[in-house]
Amino acid sequence: MRCAESTTYGLVTAAYGEMQDDASTIDLDYSVGQNGADAAFYITRPGQKALKASDNGTFLALFDKDIAIELQKLRRDLFFVHAAVLTRGEAVMLVAKPGGGKSTLTWALLHHGFGFLSDELAPVDLGTLEVHPYPRTLALKREPPGSYPLPRRTVTTSRSLHVRNVPGSVVKAPTPLGAVVFLNYDPDATAPKIRRLTPAEAGARLYANALNPLAHAGSGLDGAVRITAAQPCYELVSTDLPATCALLARTLEPSE
Amino acid sequence: MSEDHPKRRSDISARVVADETVVLDLGAAQIHQLNATASFIWNRCDGHNTAGEIAEKLADSFDVDSETACQAVQTALRRFDELRLLDSARE
């Protein structure tokens, strides 16, 4: 990624700094920056029409979307799920509707001994059932509750809060999947609840959150079912964050 | 019980996992989960079995009385129809 000036460089580093690597092999060649009288942001790739954004939040959102699509094209072998992924020995996939509290719960769980693998994309190797890392910075849409305050170095854009230096470890290696959790935020619930899902129910739910199912055998149905048949899957109704974290941590404790 | 011969749509994908079935209707952009009873009925919607025959097999396999089995089959077939999972031009 080439970046012409410091504002855009700061944004890109805030969002993708954990993914920085040497440039010995280039899979995607981006140029980003600001230009024009209105200092609009641009994103270009060779042979592609430039993307433009009027503000920093839209710029990162456009970049997120573009790179997610390009990664799916580059790694058609992987089954991409729209999910956050934490680690606790094995990977724990957190699946939720947009705005369903996935990133907020991820941020909270990082204070309870979980490691960070991804906030947004869960690329699964269907052969090994390992989840590949996608450690783009955790992005929250709003301030989390006071029990989990954001660090000072959080970068704020017009759309989101990008949290660098998360309290848990950032995992940068493929990690075997150990559980899939479908999150359902209910602000009116008096206590969090968790229930085990059958592989079929979980498979149907997972399929609905798959990003590239048609790139796989059986229109992706085989992949979704393979994932949910191989490990425990749960529906978690979340409410108060500390109680939700405690319930999930207890549920995922290895049985004696 | 109807003498209809319900038949699954041929363009629908389904996978059985742990006695349940995941049914993918790409045309309608819908995915469904069938429990064990619905899966049993779904698997016998082959265009040969009548609804009554499916109910008899259900009664035998799940050790339920005929009336309960007939109701379960009627309910499931009605739901499959509502979801347009069955061939509409069947006998």
Side-chain angles (χ1 to χ4, degrees), chain A residues 197-231:
Chain A
L197 298 177
T198 65
E201 181 173 1
R205 288 177 177 223
L206 191 76
Y207 189 91
N209 288 278
L211 297 172
N212 65 338
L214 301 184
H216 296 275
S219 301
L221 197 52
D222 294 330
V225 167
R226 170 153 168 66
I227 290 169
T228 57
Q231 48 263 303

Side-chain angles (χ1 to χ4, degrees), chain A residues 79-91:
Chain A
F79 190 89
F80 283 78
V81 181
H82 180 225
V85 189
L86 293 132
T87 62
R88 192 180 171 91
E90 295 182 317

Side-chain angles (χ1 to χ4, degrees), chain A:
Chain A
M1 181 184 295
R2 280 179 279 273
C3 190
E5 37 69 43
S6 60
T7 301
T8 313
Y9 180 80
L11 280 172
V12 169
T13 307
Y16 293 95
E18 290 287 357
M19 296 168 73
Q20 205 161 10
D21 201 356
D22 71 82
S24 55
T25 307
I26 297 173
D27 295 311
L28 291 169
D29 184 5
Y30 282 101
S31 292
V32 295
Q34 282 178 287
N35 61 15
D38 56 354
F41 291 91
Y42 64 84
I43 303 166
T44 64
R45 277 190 297 120
Q48 300 295 316
K49 190 178 172 191
L51 302 171
K52 295 196 173 171
S54 59
D55 61 78
N56 56 6
T58 307
F59 162 71
L60 282 181
L62 277 178
F63 191 82
D64 275 350
K65 188 177 172 187
D66 195 76
I67 199 167
I69 292 169
E70 293 307 315
L71 287 174
Q72 289 168 53
K73 290 182 191 168
L74 279 172
R75 294 300 306 268
R76 291 174 192 273
D77 56 312
L78 300 175
F79 190 89
F80 283 78
V81 181
H82 180 225
V85 189
L86 293 132
T87 62
R88 192 180 171 91
E90 295 182 317
V92 180
M93 194 188 286
L94 271 185
V95 187
K97 288 182 283 192
K102 170 170 57 71
S103 296
T104 303
L105 181 61
T106 297
W107 170 241
L109 286 167
L110 290 170
H111 295 74
H112 293 270
F114 286 79
F116 181 67
L117 200 72
S118 174
D119 175 36
E120 191 68 16
L121 284 184
V124 182
D125 182 322
L126 291 175
T128 62
L129 290 185
E130 289 179 320
V131 189
H132 285 242
Y134 185 69
R136 189 209 67 178
T137 305
L138 182 72
L140 300 167
K141 291 187 176 67
R142 62 189 72 84
E143 286 270 350
S147 41
Y148 300 100
L150 293 176
R152 283 185 187 168
R153 289 187 65 202
T154 298
V155 173
T156 304
T157 73
S158 61
R159 292 195 182 194
S160 48
L161 304 153
H162 296 262
V163 190
R164 302 190 69 182
N165 304 107
V166 294
S169 59
V170 178
V171 179
K172 296 185 179 177
T175 304
L177 185 58
V180 181
V181 178
F182 295 89
L183 184 62
N184 180 14
Y185 175 60
D186 182 357
D188 298 325
T190 52
K193 287 181 287 190
I194 197 160
R195 74 176 174 100
R196 185 87 180 252
L197 298 177
T198 65
E201 181 173 1
R205 288 177 177 223
L206 191 76
Y207 189 91
N209 288 278
L211 297 172
N212 65 338
L214 301 184
H216 296 275
S219 301
L221 197 52
D222 294 330
V225 167
R226 170 153 168 66
I227 290 169
T228 57
Q231 48 263 303
C233 301
Y234 304 92
E235 179 189 54
L236 174 64
V237 176
S238 71
T239 174
D240 170 67
L241 269 180
T244 303
C245 290
L247 175 61
L248 184 58
R250 270 199 315 276
T251 304
L252 297 176
E253 283 290 328
S255 50
E256 297 282 319

